[in-house]
């Protein structure tokens, strides 16, 4: 089993599609690690695991707890830690928090949301040896609506400019979230690092989804998610059957008893 490195991810640009999923727990980390190049410990965990309304409520300590678990059980994939809201408001705050994250979780890299505005922060972190993944397009930490981005000329130009700025600041890859196909294609052609799309068409160097969404565990079914199962329905049926068994004394059966 060969460990995936930042260099290996960079080398995949324009060659082999990069496979990524989020994971937040031991079990999902172990499974995703078998197949994916990158595991993102996404701040989406606030919404999918903890039922928060936005990712802005996610605390650094919560992320560290999940980051540590995922990194412990992921042996091969590159584990990327999503820095939560307000933890990288300037260079020194970003560096202090990123150093703490890497020290406590041992994650391989961090991810920051934003464009031109945070490019200097990214450059600073990279120059101090912290591998950074960018995130452009729809930015959940600073957005009030979750609509498709890049539908008009001005928005397209701004997101392209942000992508170029983030690429030049030294990221090893960038997530492009929820943009029109033509823009994703343009960004992927224009930047020197791999682009990882979520709701950003096939014209990216790789794809990422939130694991709970693709497993059908969450209640979120946007067009860009392909649902590979309906785990919510499966769990519902299991719990229903368990309760029925307990009530009818079919569980525990002879097989489950110590004599
Ligand atoms: O938090 C997250 O899971 C993410 C992905 C949607 C890319 O940022």
């Amino acid at each position: 089993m060969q460990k995936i490195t930042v260099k290996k991810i960079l080398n995949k640009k324009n060659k082999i599609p990069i496979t990524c999923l989020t994971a937040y727990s031991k079990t999902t980390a172990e499974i995703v690690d078998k197949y994916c190049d990158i595991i993102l410990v996404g701040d989406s965990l606030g919404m999918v695991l903890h039922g928060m309304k936005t990712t802005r409520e996610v605390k650094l300590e919560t992320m560290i707890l999940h980051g540590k678990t995922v990194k412990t059980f992921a042996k091969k994939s590159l584990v990327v830690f999503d820095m939560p809201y307000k933890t990288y408001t300037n260079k020194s705050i970003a560096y202090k928090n990123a150093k703490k994250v890497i020290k406590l979780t041992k994650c391989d890299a961090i991810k920051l949301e934003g464009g031109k505005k945070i490019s200097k922060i990214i450059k600073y972190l990279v120059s101090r040896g912290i591998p950074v993944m960018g995130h452009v397009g729809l930015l959940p930490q600073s957005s009030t609506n979750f609509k498709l981005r890049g539908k008009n000329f001005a928005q397209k130009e701004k997101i392209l400019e942000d992508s170029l700025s983030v690429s030049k600041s030294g990221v090893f890859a960038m997530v492009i979230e929820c943009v029109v196909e033509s823009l994703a294609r343009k960004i992927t052609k224009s930047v020197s690092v791999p682009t990882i799309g979520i709701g950003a068409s096939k014209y990216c160097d790789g794809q990422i989804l939130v694991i709970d969404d693709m497993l059908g565990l969450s209640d979120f079914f946007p067009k860009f998610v392909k649902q590979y199962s309906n785990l919510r329905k499966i769990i519902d049926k299991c719990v229903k059957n368990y309760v029925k068994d307990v009530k009818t004394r079919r569980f525990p059966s002879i097989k489950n008893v110590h004599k």
Side-chain angles (χ1 to χ4, degrees), residues 42-57:
D43 63 353
S44 51
L45 66 80
M47 295 168 85
V48 299
L49 288 190
H50 300 288
M52 293 168 182
K53 288 245 164 16
T54 75
T55 55
R56 281 191 285 277
E57 293 170 58

Side-chain angles (χ1 to χ4, degrees), residues 20-33 38-45 49 63 66-67 69-71 74 79-80 208-212:
C20 324
L21 277 173
T22 68
Y24 321 112
S25 67
K26 169 184 181 285
T27 308
T28 51
E30 283 173 341
I31 299 169
V32 176
D33 188 53
I38 297 176
I39 300 180
L40 174 69
V41 187
D43 63 353
S44 51
L45 66 80
L49 288 190
M63 288 299 298
H66 289 280
T69 302
V70 170
K71 181 60 188 170
V79 181
V80 180
I208 184 163
L209 283 176
V210 168
I211 192 156
D212 290 51

